[in-house]
Amino acid sequence: MKLKKQVTVCGAAIFCVAVFSLYLMLDRVQHDPTRHQSGGNFPRSQISVLQNRIEQLEQLLEENHEIISHIKDSVLELTAHAEGQPALPHHPPNGSWVLPPESRPSFLSVSPQDCQFALGGKGQSPDLQMLAVYSLLPFDNQDGGVWKQGFDITYEPNEWDTEPLQVFVVPHSHNDPGWIKTFDKYYYDQTQHILNSMVLKMQEDPRRRFIWSEISFFSKWWDNISAQKRAAVRRLVGNGQLEMVTGGWVMPDEANSHYFAMIDQLIEGHQWLEKNIGVTPRSGWAVDPFGYSSTMPYLLKRSNLTAMLIQRVHYAIKKHFAATQNLEFMWRQTWDPDTSTDIFCHMMPFYSYDVPHTCGPDPKICCQFDFKRLPGGRINCPWKVPPRAITDANVAERAQLLLDQYRKKSKLYRSKVLLVPLGDDFRYDKPQEWDAQFLNYQRIFDFLNSRPDLHVQAQFGTLSDYFDALYKKVGIVPGMRPPGFPVLTGDFFSYADREDHYWTGYYTSRPFYKSLDRVLEAHLRGAEILYSLALAHARRASADGRYPLSDYALLSNARRNLGLFQHHDAITGTAKEAVAVDYGVRLLHSLTNLKRVIGNAAHYLVLGDKDTYRHDPAAPFLGMDETRSSQDSLPERTVIKLDTSPRFLVVFNPLEQERLSVVPVLVDSPHVHVLSEEGQPLPSQLSATWSSATDVVPDVYQVSVLARLPALGLRVLQLHKSLDGHATPRSSTRLYLHGRNLPVHKPEAVPLHIFPAAADDFCLENQHLQACFLGRTGLLQSLRQAGEEQGHRVNSEFLVYGTRTSKDKSGAYLFLPDGEAKPYAPKDPPVVRVMEGPLFSEVASYYQHVQTMVRLYNVPGVEGLSLDVSCLVDIRDHINKELALRFSTDIESDDIFFTDLNGFQIQPRRYQQKLPLQANFYPMPAMAYIQDMQSRLTLLTAQALGVSSLHSGQLEVILDRRLMQDDNRGLGQGLKDNKRTCNRFRLLLERRSTANKVQDERPISFPSLLSHITSVHLNAEALVMPVALEKPALPVLRSFVPLATTLPCDFHILNLRMLQAEDDSLPSAEAALILHRKGFDCSLEAKNLGFNCTTSQGKLALGGLFQGLELGSLQPTSLTLMYPLGTASNSTNIHLDPMEIATFRIRLG
C-alpha cells in the first residue's frame, strides 16, 4: 500500500513538472527579451525567427526530458527498495495462466541525443567501402600468368633513379598453438628449438632481425630458460633485433571469436610482455586467420598499436586492390564520425605467407630463394627449380633475379618502401636453417647495396622497421594518416583462396566446442567480477587473510585456456581430433575451476556475519549448479534433495542490470514451494523432466522460480518441502505420438494427456507475443505481437546440404555444397510435446537427428519479449551432410541481411547472385537479422555458427556438419568426431517505427537496446548454487547487492579483472575495469518493454557505483593497460562515446 502511495505521488509529480515545464517553455519563448534580440538581429525574414523558436523549443524539451528522467530515476530508487516481489500467478477456469501486472513500474527513458548516434550522418565517406567493392567486382577468376590470380607486372628500369627502392626482409616463424599437434607437442618438438636457436643465432650478427607473435608459446619457453638467456632476449628486444608483433596470447580467429575473449587474450599477452620483458607491441601481424573482422583494427588501435598486417583475403579483392594500388590503407570503423579509429593496414598481395608467395609475383622464382629448400633437405620446390647457395660466382645473377621480383612487387604499392616476409609454419627450428637463410640473404644484400646503379637498399628488418621507414618516407609520425593513402571501412569475409573454395564451413565446424567456449567465457567474466568484489570487501574488512587468494591462479589459468582456444585452428574447429580433445580438456578443467572461484566468492559475500567465514576446499559451502562427466558431454544439472528443513539456494546474476528471470531448479520431490530470503512465497511452476520423447526421469522435477536478481549480485532463495496444500502450480502436458506405437512412462505428480495421432495446429501466447505451430511437425509457423491484427509468417524448417561429387569436397574449412539444401526427411514423424504452465509454455519436437524446443515465457520484461529456441543435434550417423535451420518469413528484406562481427558490431551483407551459394555465408557469433520498413526479425545465438539469407525474407543457420574427407588445406582429416550438441537461440520480432530508405541504405546498422539486452540474457545465464549444508545449523545468509545505482542500459561492464601482483599467482591491489557503451537503434522500441532502462549521454559516476566500497584511484588507460591516458584525476565521473570500449586502472576497497 505504502508503495502504491509513493508511486502515485511521484507520478503526479512527474505530471506536474511536465505541465509546468511546458508552460514555462512557452512563456520563455514569448517573453524572453534576450531571445527577441538574437532573433531581431536578422530582420531579413520571418523564417530565421521561426527557426530560432524551434531551436529554443528543442532545447527546452531536452531540459524537460532531463528533469523527468531524474524523477523517473528517483521513482526507480523508491520502487527498487520497496517490496519488489513478483506477484503470484492464477488460473481462471477454462482460461490460460494469468500473471498479475508487475508491482513495479517499468519504463524506457532514452535521451534524444543518444538516439542521434545510430542515425549517423557525420564524417566524410571512405574511399573504399567493402560492400560497394563486392558489388563492383566481376569475380571472374581469369588466369594471370605466373601470378595466377593476378596479372603481369611491368616496370621501367629507371623508375627508382630519383628515389631508390628500400627493401625490408622480415624473418618470421608462424607457430600454431595447436593444429596437427597439440600445443605442448608443438612446443617440445619445434617451438622451444626455434626460440633457443633464435637467441643464439641473432647474437652472431647485429644486422639480423626476427619477429614473434604468439605469447602463449613464448611464455612457456620463458618459464624454462635461464636468467642469462632471459637477459639476452631483453637485449635483443632492446636493440631492435627481435620484435614482438601484436603480442596477444594467440593470433586469434576473427570470425567465431567474441570480443570479450579477443580483448582478454590481448590483455593476457600484453600484461605478460610488460611484466617480463618491459615491451609494448607497436604493430599487428595476422598472416593466418581465415578472413578479417573490422573489430580487430579497433582493438589494436585502442591498444595504441599504430599499424597492422593481414594476408588471407579473397583473391579477387587482392587483385583489385593491387591493380589500384590500394593494398595499403587506413582502416576505419563504419560508425566513426572522425578519424579516431583509423589504423594503417598493409595487405599482402599474393596467395600465401610462405616464401614462394612473398618475394614477388612468380612463385617459381621466389621458391629458389627459400634456402631451407636447398637440395639435400627434407623439402623442395614444387616448381622443380631448386634454390642455389649464393657464391661470389653467382651472386650477380641471383641478386638481379630476386631484385626483378622485388621491383614487380613494389609496383603494387604506393611507396618506394617494400616489405618481404621470409618464413612459414614452424620455420627456423634448426641452426642449419638460420645459417642457410641469413648467410645467403646477407650475401645478396651486400651485393645489391654495393651497386649504386641498381638504386636499391636491402636489409633484414622487423615489421615496425618497415612501417617506420614508410612513415619517414611520407613524412609523418607513426599513427598519423599518411597523405595519399585511401580510407577503407568494412571487413574481409568471406575468404576464398582459389576458385570457388570459400572458407565458410569453419563458421560452424565442431559447434560443440564453439558452444563450450562461450559457456567458459560467461563463467570467466562472472568469476572475475565476483572475485574482485569479494576480495575488495574482504580487504576492507581486513579478512583477506582468510580468503582463498589462491583462486587467482585458477582465474589466471582460465584466462590462458580461453585465450588459447581463440587461436585460429581451435575455435574454428580446424585442428586434428586429438588436438580438439586437448582443447576440450583444458576448457572443461577451467570451467570446473571457475565454478569453484564463483562459489568461494559467493560464499563470502552472502554471509550475514563475515567473521564466520571459513574456506574449506574439501567441503565447499556452495555446490555446483551442474556437472559435466567429460570434455565432450553435455552438462547434467544438480538435483537438490528436499528434507524437512529448508534448503537454501544462492543465485548469481552476472549481468550489470537487474533481471527478472525464471530460474530452473531440479528437486527430488513434487511437494515443494519456494520462498524469498525474507520468507515471502515466490511465483513458481512445477514440471516433469524428460529423458526422451516419451520417458520422464523418475523422482526428478523441475521447479522454475520467478525471481528478481540484483545487478551483478547474489539472491538467496529457500526451498521448502510442502506437506500441506501450498502446492506449486503444476504445468500440464499434451503428448502427440503421431501414430507411432511408443510406450510412455507417465509422471506421477504432473498431469499428462496422451494423444495417439498428430496435433492440430496450435498457438502459445503471453501478454506480448503469440506463437503458432504446425501440429504435424511441432515447428514454428507464425509470430504475432500484441496489438497487431496480422501476424508474421515465420516458418521454421530443417534442411540438409550434401557435398559435391567432384574431386573437391567440403571439409573442416571449406563449404562446397552439391546445390541448394533439400528438406530434412527423417524416417519417422516427430513426437510433439506441448507443455503449458503459469511461467512458461513450450513445444518440444523429437526428430531422429534433432530435438527442438521452443519456449515462450509468460513473464514481464525481457524474457517474455522473444522466443527461446534450442536445438539438440546429433548427426553421428550422417555421411557428408550438414544440417541447417531456416526461418522463412514475409519480411521483404530483398537481398540484404545483417550479421554481427564478434558480438561487437553489425555488418550489413548483400546476397550476391554472381557468387556461388557458399560464398554468401558469414560468421554469426552473436546475432543476425533481416528487416523491411515495418519489421525486424533477429536471431540471437549463444554460440558462433555460419548464417546466410539466400532469398528475401529468409534467415538460415548451419547447426552441424559431418564430413568424411579432408579438404586439402593441410589438416589431413575430415570432421567425424561430432558430439550431441545443444545450440541455443532467441528469436526476436520488433516493429520499426521510424525506418526510412536513405537510412537503410547506409553501410551500417545497430541492434535495438532490447536486442542487446536479450543477447546478454542469452549468453550470461543466472547461476544457481545450492548451499551444501543440509542441516539446520546454517549461518544467516543475506542477498548481496553490489551496485548502489542503476547503470545506464547502454553501458556494459565487459570485465572487472584483478591485476597480478609481483608473484603472478596472486592479485595486486589494482583491477582493470573495462566498460563498453553500446551503439543502438531507437527506431525499434516497442511500447511496453517491461524493463527499466535509462541512458545518460555516455556519462557515468564511478565514484558511488559500488555499494560499501570506495574507489581509491581511477586511471584511464589504453585498452590493454600498457599506456596511461591523461593524468589520474580526482574526479570519478567518466564519459564514453557510443561503441567505445574503455579501460580504467582502479583500486577498490
Side-chain angles (χ1 to χ4, degrees):
M1 203 58 212
K2 189 173 150 206
L3 171 68
K4 278 191 180 153
K5 277 184 188 165
Q6 289 174 338
V7 173
T8 313
V9 169
C10 287
I14 289 175
F15 181 73
C16 296
V17 168
V19 172
F20 185 59
S21 308
L22 283 166
Y23 168 76
L24 275 180
M25 192 184 296
L26 290 167
D27 190 54
R28 281 169 66 183
V29 170
Q30 283 167 346
H31 299 296
D32 188 337
T34 58
R35 291 183 187 237
H36 263 300
Q37 278 171 2
S38 65
N41 294 340
F42 302 94
R44 290 180 213 151
S45 78
Q46 296 265 291
I47 293 174
S48 58
V49 179
L50 264 175
Q51 216 169 346
N52 275 0
R53 293 267 173 96
I54 290 166
E55 280 169 13
Q56 290 157 15
L57 266 169
E58 279 176 345
Q59 192 184 342
L60 289 159
L61 273 168
E62 185 55 51
E63 288 168 19
N64 184 47
H65 178 90
E66 283 190 17
I67 296 168
I68 290 178
S69 66
H70 281 308
I71 294 175
K72 281 184 176 170
D73 270 349
S74 46
V75 172
L76 187 59
E77 287 301 305
L78 279 170
T79 54
H81 303 299
E83 305 78 12
Q85 294 301 348
L88 300 171
H90 64 275
H91 195 280
N94 310 327
S96 57
W97 286 93
V98 177
L99 209 65
E102 255 282 64
S103 56
R104 302 166 47 159
S106 67
F107 51 78
L108 182 71
S109 167
V110 177
S111 117
Q113 288 119 301
D114 287 341
C115 292
Q116 281 305 310
F117 175 72
L119 302 174
K122 296 191 201 117
Q124 71 274 49
S125 54
D127 307 291
L128 303 166
Q129 207 292 310
M130 286 311 298
L131 207 56
V133 171
Y134 256 79
S135 300
L136 180 83
L137 294 185
F139 293 96
D140 52 2
N141 192 22
Q142 292 184 353
D143 189 331
V146 292
W147 174 19
K148 205 149 185 54
Q149 297 169 328
F151 46 84
D152 272 335
I153 307 170
T154 56
Y155 62 85
E156 299 299 325
N158 59 359
E159 282 186 49
W160 291 273
D161 289 3
T162 52
E163 197 184 347
L165 181 63
Q166 208 177 345
V167 182
F168 288 93
V169 173
V170 178
H172 69 98
S173 179
H174 179 66
N175 283 237
D176 290 304
W179 180 37
I180 304 300
K181 304 177 185 178
T182 63
F183 173 78
D184 286 334
K185 185 116 178 65
Y186 269 139
Y187 174 77
Y188 290 115
D189 290 357
Q190 281 149 296
T191 307
Q192 62 169 337
H193 305 304
I194 296 168
L195 291 168
N196 285 332
S197 309
M198 183 266 302
V199 179
L200 210 63
K201 290 291 172 184
M202 294 287 278
Q203 295 181 85
E204 290 180 6
D205 186 338
R207 294 172 298 182
R208 293 182 179 178
R209 298 286 181 274
F210 196 63
I211 62 171
W212 189 266
S213 142
E214 301 79 10
I215 303 305
S216 47
F217 275 130
F218 202 87
S219 66
K220 186 178 175 70
W221 174 66
W222 188 262
D223 291 343
N224 289 300
I225 60 174
S226 65
Q228 191 182 358
K229 222 177 224 180
R230 289 179 181 184
V233 171
R234 289 192 187 103
R235 274 198 306 278
L236 289 170
V237 170
N239 69 17
Q241 282 185 263
L242 170 65
E243 183 185 14
M244 294 299 186
V245 286
T246 312
W249 200 245
V250 296
M251 183 186 292
D253 170 44
E254 300 186 20
N256 303 291
S257 50
H258 192 258
Y259 76 123
F260 173 95
M262 290 172 86
I263 292 170
D264 208 62
Q265 65 84 31
L266 203 55
I267 292 176
E268 196 59 31
H270 285 186
Q271 290 289 291
W272 189 91
L273 282 172
E274 188 178 47
K275 185 168 178 279
N276 292 284
I277 305 186
V279 59
T280 56
R282 294 175 45 208
S283 304
W285 172 262
V287 287
D288 204 25
F290 325 137
Y292 298 92
S293 161
S294 45
T295 304
M296 203 63 188
Y298 174 76
L299 301 180
L300 296 181
K301 172 73 174 187
R302 291 289 174 259
S303 305
N304 268 26
L305 276 74
T306 52
M308 62 185 292
L309 171 146
I310 60 177
Q311 149 62 20
R312 287 192 185 269
V313 171
H314 194 301
Y315 61 86
I317 292 172
K318 287 190 174 220
K319 176 181 176 176
H320 173 65
F321 280 11
T324 50
Q325 287 193 324
N326 285 330
L327 288 163
E328 289 181 321
F329 48 85
M330 296 305 286
W331 200 346
R332 178 178 299 168
Q333 299 304 312
T334 41
W335 72 81
D336 183 4
D338 49 39
T339 60
S340 82
T341 61
D342 287 15
I343 184 169
F344 187 74
C345 181
H346 171 100
M347 182 190 293
M348 291 167 58
F350 307 124
Y351 173 74
S352 165
Y353 54 81
D354 63 9
V355 184
H357 296 95
T358 44
C359 90
D362 190 343
K364 182 177 178 177
I365 292 174
C366 292
C367 195
Q368 299 171 45
F369 294 90
D370 182 355
F371 296 103
K372 185 188 169 93
R373 302 179 197 241
L374 283 165
R378 290 231 304 268
I379 54 168
N380 51 25
C381 282
W383 296 270
K384 305 284 189 289
V385 186
R388 307 210 302 264
I390 305 300
T391 62
D392 289 347
N394 69 11
V395 67
E397 175 260 330
R398 302 313 285 167
Q400 284 282 8
L401 187 63
L402 184 58
L403 178 59
D404 176 58
Q405 289 297 305
Y406 288 170
R407 285 175 170 173
K408 284 175 176 166
K409 182 176 180 179
S410 102
K411 288 291 287 176
L412 308 178
Y413 292 90
R414 297 188 179 204
S415 84
K416 296 282 168 67
V417 186
L418 182 65
L419 171 66
V420 180
L422 180 69
D424 202 343
D425 293 3
F426 294 97
R427 281 301 188 89
Y428 301 98
D429 60 343
K430 296 191 168 60
Q432 297 86 311
E433 186 185 352
W434 285 85
D435 291 342
Q437 303 285 32
F438 280 93
L439 295 172
N440 282 301
Y441 267 97
Q442 195 59 58
R443 288 176 195 134
I444 293 173
F445 296 162
D446 291 345
F447 174 81
L448 291 174
N449 298 342
S450 69
R451 292 277 303 275
D453 57 309
L454 294 178
H455 303 285
V456 61
Q457 201 226 322
Q459 65 206 68
F460 292 116
T462 63
L463 186 58
S464 292
D465 286 342
Y466 166 73
F467 285 127
D468 287 344
L470 177 70
Y471 296 141
K472 192 172 170 190
K473 194 78 116 182
V474 296
I476 58 154
V477 298
M480 275 175 62
R481 178 181 172 186
F485 284 79
V487 171
L488 175 143
T489 64
D491 69 336
F492 296 100
F493 290 119
S494 287
Y495 168 58
D497 59 348
R498 57 180 188 254
E499 294 148 38
D500 58 356
H501 293 192
Y502 282 84
W503 297 43
T504 52
Y506 83 93
Y507 301 157
T508 293
S509 297
R510 295 197 171 112
F512 180 90
Y513 295 109
K514 285 174 163 66
S515 173
L516 183 56
D517 162 76
R518 290 280 270 279
V519 172
L520 179 62
E521 178 183 298
H523 277 75
L524 177 58
R525 180 180 165 275
E528 295 272 19
I529 293 170
L530 215 54
Y531 176 83
S532 299
L533 292 171
L535 189 57
H537 280 281
R539 281 172 170 166
R540 195 172 169 87
S542 304
D544 46 329
R546 284 180 289 132
Y547 193 79
L549 297 181
S550 57
D551 278 2
Y552 189 75
L554 302 182
L555 274 178
S556 183
N557 185 255
R559 293 167 180 173
R560 293 177 173 192
N561 281 337
L562 180 69
L564 187 71
F565 195 67
Q566 304 315 303
H567 161 55
H568 57 262
D569 288 304
I571 192 171
T572 52
T574 56
K576 290 265 194 201
E577 287 176 17
V579 179
V581 170
D582 182 62
Y583 289 133
V585 168
R586 290 169 185 267
L587 295 177
L588 178 60
H589 175 71
S590 285
L591 182 61
T592 310
N593 283 341
L594 290 174
K595 286 185 184 291
R596 277 176 38 202
V597 174
I598 291 169
N600 290 338
H603 174 197
Y604 180 80
L605 292 167
V606 294
L607 282 179
D609 178 6
K610 303 277 188 266
D611 292 340
T612 62
Y613 177 76
R614 293 289 176 275
H615 169 60
D616 180 359
F621 181 73
L622 294 172
M624 293 193 185
D625 56 329
E626 57 181 35
T627 53
R628 291 176 185 244
S629 56
S630 68
Q631 56 87 24
D632 60 354
S633 54
L634 289 167
E636 288 171 35
R637 285 162 48 212
T638 306
V639 180
I640 294 168
K641 294 183 169 43
L642 297 177
D643 204 349
T644 45
S645 53
R647 290 294 308 266
F648 287 84
L649 302 175
V650 175
V651 186
F652 172 44
N653 169 22
L655 302 186
E656 60 282 289
Q657 300 291 340
E658 177 188 84
R659 75 205 272 183
L660 186 61
S661 277
V662 175
V663 178
V665 183
L666 294 186
V667 291
D668 66 349
S669 160
H671 308 291
V672 58
H673 61 272
V674 187
L675 306 180
S676 68
E677 110 194 49
E678 301 80 14
Q680 299 287 325
L682 291 174
S684 54
Q685 163 176 335
L686 189 79
S687 43
T689 50
W690 295 80
S691 57
S692 73
T694 53
D695 293 324
V696 293
V697 183
D699 304 324
V700 176
Y701 298 88
Q702 176 167 302
V703 59
S704 305
V705 193
L706 183 61
R708 191 176 295 289
L709 307 175
L712 296 178
L714 300 159
R715 176 87 194 265
V716 178
L717 305 176
Q718 320 179 26
L719 295 179
H720 288 252
K721 197 158 185 173
S722 55
L723 302 169
D724 51 6
H726 295 299
T728 292
R730 283 149 166 66
S731 56
S732 71
T733 303
R734 308 192 298 278
L735 191 63
Y736 297 94
L737 298 178
H738 217 120
R740 293 166 66 183
N741 184 16
L742 297 166
V744 179
H745 297 279
K746 287 184 95 162
E748 286 166 26
V750 183
L752 171 68
H753 308 283
I754 300 167
F755 299 86
D760 295 329
D761 296 357
F762 60 92
C763 301
L764 301 177
E765 64 184 298
N766 66 13
Q767 64 269 49
H768 303 293
L769 269 181
Q770 181 192 57
C772 297
F773 299 81
L774 207 57
R776 277 185 306 108
T777 63
L779 298 180
L780 184 66
Q781 281 295 99
S782 66
L783 273 179
R784 185 172 63 79
Q785 291 179 294
E788 280 192 345
E789 287 295 301
Q790 217 26 61
H792 273 284
R793 181 170 71 87
V794 182
N795 181 2
S796 67
E797 58 181 324
F798 291 104
L799 301 154
V800 175
Y801 283 98
T803 188
R804 297 185 179 174
T805 48
S806 65
K807 65 173 173 44
D808 295 308
K809 294 183 167 65
S810 299
Y813 303 90
L814 305 183
F815 180 31
L816 294 170
D818 59 353
E820 296 205 356
K822 298 173 183 58
Y824 166 63
K827 62 176 200 283
D828 295 311
V831 171
V832 175
R833 192 176 67 235
V834 183
M835 186 198 79
E836 294 192 59
L839 297 183
F840 66 88
S841 301
E842 68 184 20
V843 181
S845 312
Y846 285 79
Y847 290 90
Q848 188 185 349
H849 302 98
V850 58
Q851 299 164 27
T852 170
M853 180 95 74
V854 179
R855 181 179 288 189
L856 182 60
Y857 286 100
N858 186 29
V859 300
V862 178
E863 304 277 282
L865 288 160
S866 57
L867 279 182
D868 197 298
V869 179
S870 62
C871 298
L872 184 59
V873 177
D874 184 355
I875 56 167
R876 285 177 293 184
D877 64 351
H878 273 164
I879 290 180
N880 275 331
K881 297 280 191 284
E882 315 200 14
L883 185 68
L885 168 63
R886 178 184 292 167
F887 296 95
S888 303
T889 74
D890 51 14
I891 291 172
E892 295 170 3
S893 57
D894 295 329
D895 56 357
I896 300 290
F897 60 110
F898 302 83
T899 67
D900 76 292
L901 290 167
N902 318 102
F904 174 62
Q905 58 182 324
I906 299 293
Q907 179 64 50
R909 309 287 183 194
R910 178 175 281 120
Y911 174 79
Q912 297 283 358
Q913 210 78 52
K914 62 188 170 190
L915 293 178
L917 182 147
Q918 66 269 22
N920 286 291
F921 275 80
Y922 291 93
M924 175 183 64
M927 68 176 76
Y929 52 84
I930 50 172
Q931 64 185 22
D932 58 19
M933 301 309 278
Q934 283 75 45
S935 314
R936 176 184 288 183
L937 181 74
T938 308
L939 180 68
L940 300 119
T941 176
Q943 60 287 309
L945 296 167
V947 74
S948 189
S949 170
L950 301 177
H951 294 282
S952 182
Q954 285 186 0
L955 208 47
E956 75 174 71
V957 53
I958 309 277
L959 299 173
D960 199 2
R961 39 206 322 262
R962 182 169 175 85
L963 301 159
M964 314 316 282
Q965 63 283 312
D966 179 48
D967 51 7
N968 300 312
R969 292 306 182 276
L971 179 60
Q973 276 184 354
L975 280 179
K976 298 189 265 193
D977 56 349
N978 303 70
K979 324 284 179 206
R980 286 179 74 233
T981 298
C982 187
N983 291 314
R984 294 174 39 247
F985 308 101
R986 279 286 175 94
L987 197 62
L988 173 65
L989 179 64
E990 295 173 288
R991 272 194 292 269
R992 298 186 75 201
S993 51
T994 57
N996 71 65
K997 224 36 195 157
V998 179
Q999 203 54 42
D1000 284 356
E1001 281 167 2
R1002 293 170 54 239
I1004 181 164
S1005 184
F1006 296 95
S1008 64
L1009 273 171
L1010 173 60
S1011 183
H1012 278 306
I1013 292 168
T1014 305
S1015 180
V1016 292
H1017 272 237
L1018 174 63
N1019 280 282
E1021 295 179 296
L1023 288 184
V1024 186
M1025 297 169 280
V1027 173
L1029 294 169
E1030 295 171 29
K1031 303 290 167 283
L1034 200 64
V1036 176
L1037 303 181
R1038 295 262 178 274
S1039 289
F1040 168 66
V1041 181
L1043 300 186
T1045 56
T1046 306
L1047 223 61
C1049 56
D1050 54 348
F1051 270 79
H1052 173 50
I1053 297 180
L1054 199 56
N1055 210 346
L1056 176 60
R1057 170 188 166 121
M1058 291 304 301
L1059 300 175
Q1060 58 180 19
E1062 268 314 297
D1063 170 356
D1064 56 18
S1065 65
L1066 292 174
S1068 69
E1070 291 187 318
L1073 173 65
I1074 309 177
L1075 298 174
H1076 175 207
R1077 183 178 171 206
K1078 300 193 168 181
F1080 59 91
D1081 184 340
C1082 292
S1083 70
L1084 289 132
E1085 303 311 343
K1087 300 282 186 294
N1088 47 354
L1089 280 184
F1091 66 94
N1092 298 324
C1093 174
T1094 53
T1095 62
S1096 60
Q1097 292 102 66
K1099 298 192 210 46
L1100 181 61
L1102 287 176
L1105 184 60
F1106 296 101
Q1107 199 150 274
L1109 293 173
E1110 278 169 29
L1111 196 60
S1113 65
L1114 174 74
Q1115 167 68 61
T1117 70
S1118 59
L1119 182 62
T1120 58
L1121 298 112
M1122 303 280 263
Y1123 300 88
L1125 302 177
T1127 50
S1129 68
N1130 293 332
S1131 165
T1132 54
N1133 296 335
I1134 62 147
H1135 175 267
L1136 265 190
D1137 285 327
M1139 291 304 294
E1140 292 291 351
I1141 302 173
T1143 302
F1144 302 88
R1145 196 183 277 272
I1146 66 168
R1147 243 169 229 264
L1148 276 180

